[in-house]
Amino acid sequence: MEKKRETNVLIVTIAVFVATFMTAIEGTIVTTAMPTIVGSLHGIEIMNWVFSIYLLTNAMFTPIYGKLADKIGRRSIFIFGTLVFIIGSAMCGFSNTMLTLIISRAIQGIGAGAMMPVALTILADMYSAEKRAKMLGLNSTAWGIASVVGPLTGGVIVDTIGWHWIFFINVPIGLVLIGLVSYYLVEEKQEKDNKKMDIQGSLFLMTMLLTLLLAFQFLSESGFDLKVIGMFGATILSIFLFIRAEKNAEDPVISLELFSSRIFIVVNLVAALISGFLMAVEVYIPMWMQGVLGYKAGLGGLVLAPLSILWVYGSSLVGRWMVQHSMKTVLLRTLGIALIGGVSLLVIPMKMPFIVFLVISGITGIGVGGTIVATTVQAQNSVGMDQLGVATSFNTLSKTIGQTVMVSVFGLILNTITRTELAKAALTDDPDIMNKLVNPQTAKLLPENLLLPLREILHQGLWGIYVAGVALVLLAIGSVLLLKKETI
């Protein structure tokens, strides 16, 4: 009798890690290449949409893929998402105008919306809760590695074979991933599901996410105006219509029963809040290094290395703690460590030795990494296997919304504070002065007598961001305190 083929856990795990790294590096590698791309395609006024549209389509399709992963299987959806991603990547590489690049990035985002959450669901299928924490931690380091490796790789590719290849390189890697997952991931045959797909609910959900994220995008660009009010109004209407559609749907895209669990609500809220806090660290510590302390861009990226490395340690800690303690205790511990990192950035002076920032980065990595992994595992544990894909994708969506919203809010805080302080100080009438300050190349050209006061103003703006960041962590701690002391 022929032996039944089983999943090769090691090969599929490696494939999942590579897929995560490929989608993670997409942001950092494109950032490095963007000046060259703009020089080639022109259209600097719509440059931000190259990044924003990728995040938008990614977020919009994530919950849809999660439902489909439960309905028709993880392997099929992962393969489909990867295929769409490499088609979008090839189109990006062939783009000859900024508009076609933006459209191609939208297609890339649609594919990436499947790869990340379905990859996490595949890990949940293959590993027990204790081992899963460690695997998720290792998987999460792909984001940290991408933040360090991406800029360097992007620079080398742009300087040698051209910017088109930062996109083309995804095609062979994606095809290998499709081959590995197709052959080595073995799933039980799905029972035929005759329930109708919740098309109406899916459309309202996508509209809600689109208008919400656009509202914050426009808010960061032009402040609070009629366009932003209109988008927020459309978001509220879409939420109402979505809830009504889900109540009447035969097979809702996101079952409202999930929200009857206080644990599920709290862990996803915490995931969103701590992901927002992570943006304050990842985006603005390098700005502190370059704009305030005048270090080169390489050191600005290096300061995040301890965060990535100790993220794995935080994940392994969580794996051990989850066996011994309640989820409430685990989350309070990890959030407490993250809070130490956030408060440190608030209380240290403007000028500190580089090693101090490395230590703060490491502490933050333990706390944030542990929290992210704990919330993912608990979101998965709080539902049955038939809803594992939906729960995982919703957790991923929560993190994406937290990051996207808070990047816009932090940008607004920084711009408001620096603009106000510049007007008070009346140092210069150059509207682009702060952009020149944060770029080490142009900062060297600024008058010596302006450097210190400008750096003090930038530091005030960063301090405002860390006040908001610490507030996010405190809100997360407050949310966890609402949980009863339930053990896993």
Side-chain angles (χ1 to χ4, degrees):
M1 187 177 175
E2 190 180 344
K3 188 179 178 182
K4 185 181 176 184
R5 206 158 59 86
E6 293 183 351
T7 295
N8 187 315
V9 174
L10 176 61
I11 289 179
V12 173
T13 301
I14 291 170
V16 164
F17 286 179
V18 172
T20 302
F21 180 76
M22 190 165 72
T23 52
I25 203 171
E26 197 58 35
T28 54
I29 203 169
V30 172
T31 303
T32 307
M34 189 48 62
T36 306
I37 293 172
V38 170
S40 172
L41 303 182
H42 311 291
I44 193 169
E45 67 280 354
I46 55 172
M47 181 183 75
N48 283 349
W49 283 99
V50 174
F51 304 102
S52 302
I53 200 73
Y54 179 84
L55 290 170
L56 276 171
T57 53
N58 189 325
M60 285 167 61
F61 281 86
T62 291
I64 313 300
Y65 287 130
K67 182 64 182 179
L68 289 171
D70 286 336
K71 205 172 176 72
I72 62 178
R74 329 292 194 216
R75 187 174 63 180
S76 303
I77 299 304
F78 182 84
I79 290 169
F80 174 78
T82 307
L83 187 60
V84 173
F85 182 81
I86 61 179
I87 289 170
S89 296
M91 289 174 63
C92 286
F94 285 117
S95 295
N96 55 8
T97 68
M98 193 63 89
L99 183 59
T100 54
L101 178 62
I102 290 169
I103 293 167
S104 303
R105 286 280 286 173
I107 294 169
Q108 252 194 327
I110 291 170
M115 292 172 71
M116 190 65 221
V118 177
L120 295 179
T121 308
I122 290 170
L123 287 179
D125 288 336
M126 296 192 300
Y127 292 97
S128 64
E130 294 77 22
K131 287 184 179 177
R132 200 187 311 160
K134 185 179 179 182
M135 289 300 115
L136 288 171
L138 288 169
N139 191 54
S140 297
T141 56
W143 295 93
I145 295 168
S147 69
V148 178
V149 173
L152 179 63
T153 308
V156 171
I157 292 174
V158 169
D159 291 339
T160 53
I161 54 179
W163 69 262
H164 303 273
W165 284 93
I166 68 170
F167 300 110
F168 286 146
I169 200 171
N170 291 330
V171 177
I173 297 172
L175 290 172
V176 170
L177 287 177
I178 289 173
L180 291 176
V181 172
S182 298
Y183 186 78
Y184 290 105
L185 178 61
V186 180
E187 287 188 312
E188 295 293 326
K189 194 174 180 181
Q190 294 282 125
E191 290 183 23
K192 193 172 180 183
D193 190 344
N194 294 317
K195 292 178 181 176
K196 291 179 183 176
M197 185 67 188
D198 180 19
I199 302 296
Q200 189 181 59
S202 300
L203 289 173
F204 287 138
L205 177 61
M206 290 166 71
T207 304
M208 177 182 76
L209 293 170
L210 175 65
T211 53
L212 175 67
L213 298 181
L214 280 177
F216 279 99
Q217 173 71 19
F218 294 146
L219 183 66
S220 66
E221 289 176 0
S222 56
F224 207 80
D225 57 15
L226 283 175
K227 186 167 53 176
V228 173
I229 294 170
M231 284 295 168
F232 278 126
T235 302
I236 294 167
L237 178 61
S238 300
I239 291 171
F240 171 75
L241 293 172
F242 171 71
I243 292 172
R244 193 175 70 173
E246 296 310 271
K247 284 180 179 177
N248 300 322
E250 183 182 6
D251 187 21
V253 63
I254 297 179
S255 174
L256 298 180
E257 289 178 10
L258 288 172
F259 302 101
S260 62
S261 165
R262 180 181 287 187
I263 291 179
F264 184 80
I265 293 171
V266 168
V267 295
N268 283 295
L269 176 60
V270 169
L273 292 168
I274 205 70
S275 296
F277 169 69
L278 180 60
M279 290 298 96
V281 176
E282 284 195 338
V283 175
Y284 292 101
I285 284 188
M287 187 178 286
W288 192 328
M289 298 300 98
Q290 293 173 60
V292 176
L293 300 181
Y295 292 143
K296 292 181 179 178
L299 281 177
L302 184 63
V303 76
L304 298 175
L307 186 147
S308 307
I309 295 164
L310 290 174
W311 189 294
V312 181
Y313 177 65
S315 306
S316 63
L317 272 182
V318 163
R320 294 200 295 271
W321 288 345
M322 284 173 65
V323 179
Q324 303 164 345
H325 304 286
S326 69
M327 178 52 65
K328 181 175 182 177
T329 302
V330 172
L331 284 174
L332 287 176
R333 285 183 178 185
T334 58
L335 287 168
I337 296 169
L339 184 63
I340 292 170
V343 170
S344 299
L345 290 168
L346 269 184
V347 299
I348 61 172
M350 185 175 95
K351 291 184 178 180
M352 289 294 285
F354 186 68
I355 193 170
V356 173
F357 292 94
L358 292 176
V359 172
I360 293 172
S361 173
I363 291 169
T364 307
I366 296 171
V368 174
T371 303
I372 291 291
V373 169
T375 54
T376 303
V377 173
Q378 187 53 35
Q380 293 171 336
N381 288 348
S382 62
V383 300
M385 289 300 291
D386 61 324
Q387 290 190 313
L388 190 59
V390 170
T392 306
S393 67
F394 188 82
N395 180 258
T396 303
L397 177 64
S398 299
K399 291 181 279 193
T400 302
I401 291 174
Q403 290 174 339
T404 309
V405 166
M406 288 315 300
V407 160
S408 298
V409 171
F410 292 148
L412 192 62
I413 290 171
L414 182 67
N415 290 337
T416 303
I417 292 176
T418 54
R419 200 182 299 123
T420 304
E421 294 302 318
L422 277 171
K424 279 185 194 173
L427 294 170
T428 175
D429 54 3
D430 183 355
D432 202 38
I433 193 73
M434 298 311 288
N435 288 322
K436 291 175 182 175
L437 178 68
V438 298
N439 183 337
Q441 299 302 317
T442 52
K444 291 187 292 189
L445 306 175
L446 293 174
E448 192 68 32
N449 65 314
L450 288 182
L451 273 178
L452 181 59
L454 286 174
R455 284 172 173 169
E456 287 174 345
I457 288 171
L458 179 59
H459 180 251
Q460 287 180 52
L462 294 174
W463 192 83
I465 286 169
Y466 291 118
V467 168
V470 167
L472 293 175
V473 182
L474 290 173
L475 278 173
I477 291 171
S479 302
V480 172
L481 290 172
L482 296 175
L483 287 175
K484 295 176 183 176
K485 196 169 183 179
E486 299 172 59
T487 53
I488 297 168

